Amino acid sequence: MTRASVVGAGMTTFGVHESTLAELFATAALDAYDDAGVGPDDVDAFYFGNAMGGQTENDTHLAPKLASEVGIAGVPAQRFEDACATSATAFKNAVQAVEAGIHDTVLVGGVERCTPETGLGTGEMTRIFASASHRQYEQPTGLTFPGVFALLTKRHMHEYGTTEEQLAHVAVKNHANGQRNPRAHFGRELTVEDVLESPVVADPFHLMDCCPFSDGASALVVTSDERADSYDDPVDVTGVGHATDIVPLSAKPVPHATQAARDAAAGAYEQADVTADAMDFAEVHDCFTGAEVMASEAIGFFEDGEGGPAAAEGRSALDGDRPINPSGGLKAKGHPIGATGAAQIVELTEQLRGDAGDRQVEGAERAVAHNLGGDAGTTVVSVVEVRS
């Protein structure tokens, strides 16, 4: 079967931007073009992610608008929305389209503006974020995503004895990695004490357990592995898994298992004909520190209940035996919702090429990305490898 390969990757800095959605995405897309050595005429489809532009900026029907912005008007263009998994879903569909022979070369990516530059405050943005939770059973209670993941994490703590200090080690590690990433939203160091002494947002999460709202964009050029032979430094996409879990939260049989992640990881590993042990590092969806702990177990890096102790022991650090989030993760790199999933693949691509600078995972040849949406109701897991 034809496989898909990433031959170009680009992204903006994540943080606070005055640029429009179109300007942000064009910056990332042009970087991806340059990285691949292609132009608009080489692209025959556009798969694009944006989760909230209609609510935050009254800006919908974005795919053809942005296709025009980056010189590919006329090609099939489609916008995807899957909450925080938005551009990972776009990436999955692009990979499948290339594998099926429907398209030869696809521009994939996403963009979001989530900071006060949209004209909206934190309260209103939090309400809009919460639209990805259950309309009847969660939103009317006032439950927002810090509360959603706090509930999942408290259950994990109850089952396995995970502690707030162990969660704090996740934040400390990701900020240390973010310091090495020039495109990260946050570059300041944290201590465990900084995390534990920051204000409580939703027990057990303190402010420094939570990722920020960010603006930013990411883009990838995906083509067939046969065509990729003519490009410099292609990386091969060997597996993509996509699964959903029961929504609402209260109906999940084992909430802290994040079952969609387990199913998506199993699917990705099966396609790639590998196991979790073969992964040299992971980028996971650490919207909150507890989310990274649960993700690290769901993708098979650690046994159930070991994610917290592993973080405290430094096993998931850049120089640990199972590095997680060398980019700084959502916690430090930032979280512009529609751009996050594709940005994870940008990080995997740069790492596997040996181009990650001070945050380079030494000898990395194979890696996995985990991107979830909503109350863990959707997860996409992707395996990417150095071309052999």
Side-chain angles (χ1 to χ4, degrees):
M1 182 183 74
T2 297
R3 289 287 193 185
S5 301
V6 177
V7 295
M11 61 182 283
T12 66
T13 57
F14 284 3
V16 179
H17 286 277
E18 295 181 358
S19 303
T20 65
L21 290 172
E23 291 166 341
L24 284 170
F25 184 73
T27 299
L30 293 176
D31 282 351
Y33 285 168
D34 288 345
D35 183 51
V38 303
D41 290 345
D42 299 300
V43 174
D44 59 0
F46 177 36
Y47 287 13
F48 164 76
N50 175 262
M52 305 188 311
Q55 295 167 281
T56 59
E57 306 195 59
N58 197 37
D59 202 356
T60 59
H61 203 209
L62 281 166
K65 293 176 186 175
L66 298 192
S68 300
E69 195 78 15
V70 297
I72 54 174
V75 306
Q78 184 173 351
R79 173 198 172 197
F80 291 81
E81 185 280 308
D82 223 350
C84 301
T86 285
S87 57
T89 302
F91 177 70
K92 180 209 77 166
N93 279 272
V95 167
Q96 291 179 338
V98 168
E99 289 177 342
I102 298 169
H103 300 301
D104 293 324
T105 302
V106 183
L107 178 65
V108 187
V111 66
E112 209 81 60
R113 295 204 315 156
C114 304
T115 70
E117 288 298 324
T118 60
L120 301 176
T122 299
E124 181 62 11
M125 194 62 70
T126 300
R127 183 195 67 77
I128 292 170
F129 267 51
S131 68
S133 61
H134 197 285
R135 181 68 187 90
Q136 284 72 43
Y137 297 125
E138 292 172 345
Q139 293 179 37
T141 70
L143 185 64
T144 60
F145 281 107
V148 166
F149 282 89
L151 288 169
L152 295 173
T153 302
K154 287 291 277 187
R155 187 64 195 182
H156 192 277
M157 297 169 85
H158 172 77
E159 293 290 339
Y160 302 117
T162 308
T163 68
E164 290 187 23
E165 184 172 344
Q166 290 168 352
L167 300 180
H169 277 281
V170 173
V172 171
K173 179 262 297 180
N174 287 348
H175 273 254
N177 293 347
Q179 271 202 313
R180 300 166 180 256
N181 186 349
R183 293 174 300 201
H185 193 153
F186 292 139
R188 68 179 272 244
E189 285 188 357
L190 288 179
T191 65
V192 169
E193 291 72 25
D194 289 334
V195 179
L196 296 178
E197 292 172 5
S198 63
V200 174
V201 174
D203 181 41
F205 295 145
H206 298 258
L207 180 63
M208 292 298 147
D209 287 295
C210 308
C211 78
F213 292 154
S214 307
D215 305 328
S218 55
L220 303 157
V221 178
V222 177
T223 194
S224 66
D225 55 355
E226 294 96 336
R227 286 174 173 266
D229 286 334
S230 63
Y231 292 88
D232 294 333
D233 295 323
V235 298
D236 293 337
V237 184
T238 54
V240 182
H242 183 191
T244 56
D245 198 357
I246 296 171
V247 179
L249 192 67
S250 59
K252 298 182 193 293
V254 186
H256 58 281
T258 58
Q259 190 60 45
R262 293 167 188 258
D263 294 343
Y269 293 149
E270 181 178 4
Q271 282 183 28
D273 195 25
V274 296
T275 66
D277 290 341
M279 301 298 111
D280 293 313
F281 72 94
E283 283 285 312
V284 305
H285 196 93
D286 61 319
C287 46
F288 303 93
T289 53
E292 176 169 315
V293 169
M294 290 181 284
S296 71
E297 296 169 4
I299 65 171
F301 269 42
F302 304 115
E303 295 294 325
D304 290 347
E306 291 184 2
E313 292 162 9
R315 293 185 62 195
S316 56
L318 198 59
D319 59 355
D321 64 307
R322 304 312 309 265
I324 296 176
N325 284 332
S327 70
L330 284 64
K331 177 66 192 76
K333 180 181 65 181
H335 185 29
I337 300 176
T340 288
Q344 290 181 327
I345 306 300
V346 172
E347 180 70 16
L348 266 58
T349 300
E350 292 181 349
Q351 288 280 351
L352 297 180
R353 290 172 169 175
D355 292 339
D358 291 343
R359 66 185 189 281
Q360 181 66 49
V361 177
E362 291 302 321
E365 296 184 349
R366 183 182 289 116
V368 60
H370 155 286
N371 185 207
L372 66 77
D375 57 359
T378 297
T379 307
V380 178
V381 174
S382 304
V383 175
V384 180
E385 304 182 12
V386 170
R387 170 156 293 206
S388 57

